[in-house]
Amino acid sequence: MHKFISLISGSSGNATFISDGRTNLLIDCGMSGAKLKESLHAIDVMPENIDALLITHEHIDHTKGAGVISRRYNIPIYATLGTYSHMNAGNIADDNIKIIKSNTYFELGSIGITPFSIPHDASEPVGFTFSIDKDTYALATDIGKMDESILNSISGCKCVLLESNHDVEMLRYGSYPFPLKQRILGDFGHLSNDVAARTALALVERGTEHIMLGHLSQENNRPEIAMLESYNLLSRSGVNIGNDVTLQVADRYKPTIFKSE
Ligand SMILES: [Zn+2]
Ligand SMILES: [Zn+2]
């Protein structure tokens, strides 16, 4: 059975698990080793059984526990050169450093993986698509600007974990200092709820069946606001939610399983 699960999601930390029952992959580890163990325990996976850790980019909400778990469980880290050289994983065994290239397909066990470039204020950041048998899955967060190239990369994926970071008004009128607001709103920051909603609609029109909104800001968003923004646009556009597509919001602190089975 395929599993695609958000373990934790949000500006406070991110980690995603994907498995086909033979190969177990963790994407990002923005939490401590102890918290990872607890999250995996909740979905009946032992950390020892993780075959590889893939990293989207060096920001701490994606890499906090990466070095620790690589050392503790002897897990190889797959990252672009830009990401790996900026992420400060500490001492990692040479054999466990695996440099990948964006837009270059590779396989780990029985899972096919394509990293795709994303605009974000990091060094060589990527999103990922995964293919297992004939199903495809996408992780698309930390994206400053949605463009046709990213949309093409994730189009047709059955399940998409899509960033819905902030409500533009909450951010504009909120307490963040001006430069930070500019960074988040800029082309190398994060996707707003309204861009996420438009992206969700484009994805549904191109065949996506399950969408999970994730990487929500703690300050400038609420799960119900992110959900409503996508829900309203999809329904107004004639999409039957629950029938044509399932729509969920990833929990900040605990595992959220795609409603794909
Ligand atoms: Zn980031
Ligand atoms: Zn992030």
Side-chain angles (χ1 to χ4, degrees), residues 5-8 15-17 26 31 36 39-40 43 253-255:
I5 299 171
S6 165
L7 296 178
I8 56 167
T16 308
F17 175 77
L26 182 67
M31 56 177 150
L36 175 72
S39 297
L40 288 174
I43 60 163
Y253 299 115
K254 58 180 202 291

Side-chain angles (χ1 to χ4, degrees), residues 57-62 120-122 142 183 189-190 215:
H57 64 295
E58 70 268 24
H59 290 161
I60 197 76
D61 58 319
H62 300 260
H120 190 55
D121 52 359
D142 299 75
R183 169 177 123 32
H190 292 279
H215 207 299

